Amino acid sequence: MPTVLITGANEGLGLQLAIQYATIGWEVMAACSDPLDTRLSDKFGELIIDLCYNALEEGSARNLVDCLDGRAIDVVILNEGISDEDGLLPEAITLAHWRPIMVANTFAPLHLASLLEPNLRKGELKILTAVSSHAASISRFQEPRRFAYRASQSALNQMWRNLSVEWRSWGCICLLLEPGKFRVSNADDQGLPDTDSVAAGFRSFITAANREHSGRHWAYDGTPIPW
């Protein structure tokens, strides 16, 4: 049975990914700071394993990996992060604002990935995926503000590029996937794809991924994103 570990699996894209992978018979390690809805365990039983993980909590990554007890992981999807919707001017940015965004979006994924290396080495597919954003693209992003978020996403991309080189020798494929804007409910913009469609796009891309995709930034539909 293939196994996927997903952080931020209690809501939004992470939750939909957990549901879709469990539906096709994968074992899902759902890592999140809040417990999963009990209806998921009622529906999928032991296919979904609820694990505790908080990107901002010291020692949380180590505790998560200890719970895995050396288990092989085929696909890792690091989805948990912090957005920046404050719209602060440069002079209004403080260390208190900057630090949690950079820790959650850049350090935490890299740290957790490093701890999961032995698990990925044991897996058959060896795919390490980070959820990135169009805000990471220096050449494409045209919106003002969001300095900390943009910095964190650009740094995340660089770290995944680094890992694609560091771990190439043992076959790890390091993917950067961007979901773009999507609607979570029917009240949202109907012109946007829904969470279900985006999650399906993620799964399709991951299934077809090879070494040529590693260390590059992609939209969930397979469109390459410029740096």
Side-chain angles (χ1 to χ4, degrees), residues 9-49:
N10 59 319
E11 61 182 359
L13 177 61
L15 176 58
Q16 188 55 235
L17 283 165
I19 291 171
Q20 290 192 14
Y21 273 109
T23 299
I24 62 173
W26 283 50
E27 186 174 42
V28 178
M29 305 293 164
C32 37
S33 53
D34 297 318
L36 286 175
D37 192 318
T38 56
R39 287 175 296 182
L40 288 178
S41 58
D42 293 341
K43 180 176 181 179
F44 295 108
E46 295 182 356
L47 279 180
I48 294 185
I49 299 174

Side-chain angles (χ1 to χ4, degrees), residues 127-184:
I127 295 178
L128 173 66
T129 304
V131 178
S132 188
S133 163
H134 73 289
S137 176
I138 295 173
S139 62
R140 193 180 68 155
F141 194 72
Q142 299 294 328
E143 301 172 18
R145 316 287 173 84
R146 307 186 76 192
F147 287 92
Y149 182 68
R150 290 191 63 190
S152 72
Q153 293 296 292
S154 292
L156 173 68
N157 282 15
Q158 182 62 67
M159 294 305 96
W160 249 243
R161 180 68 177 180
N162 283 15
L163 286 177
S164 73
V165 175
E166 292 281 343
W167 291 353
R168 180 186 299 151
S169 62
W170 55 270
C172 187
I173 297 173
C174 300
L175 301 178
L176 288 158
L177 290 184
E178 175 188 324
K181 294 181 179 180
F182 57 88
R183 55 187 170 90
V184 178

Side-chain angles (χ1 to χ4, degrees), residues 2-89:
T3 301
V4 59
L5 184 147
I6 306 168
T7 65
N10 59 319
E11 61 182 359
L13 177 61
L15 176 58
Q16 188 55 235
L17 283 165
I19 291 171
Q20 290 192 14
Y21 273 109
T23 299
I24 62 173
W26 283 50
E27 186 174 42
V28 178
M29 305 293 164
C32 37
S33 53
D34 297 318
L36 286 175
D37 192 318
T38 56
R39 287 175 296 182
L40 288 178
S41 58
D42 293 341
K43 180 176 181 179
F44 295 108
E46 295 182 356
L47 279 180
I48 294 185
I49 299 174
D50 193 356
L51 298 172
C52 182
Y53 173 68
N54 187 328
L56 293 176
E57 193 173 286
E58 184 75 23
S60 184
R62 173 58 68 185
N63 291 337
L64 169 60
V65 174
D66 286 346
C67 287
L68 296 175
D69 194 27
R71 180 189 304 249
I73 304 291
D74 292 286
V75 174
V76 171
I77 304 175
L78 301 182
N79 169 65
E80 183 165 333
I82 297 177
S83 187
D84 176 7
E85 306 297 342
D86 292 340
L88 296 179
L89 290 167

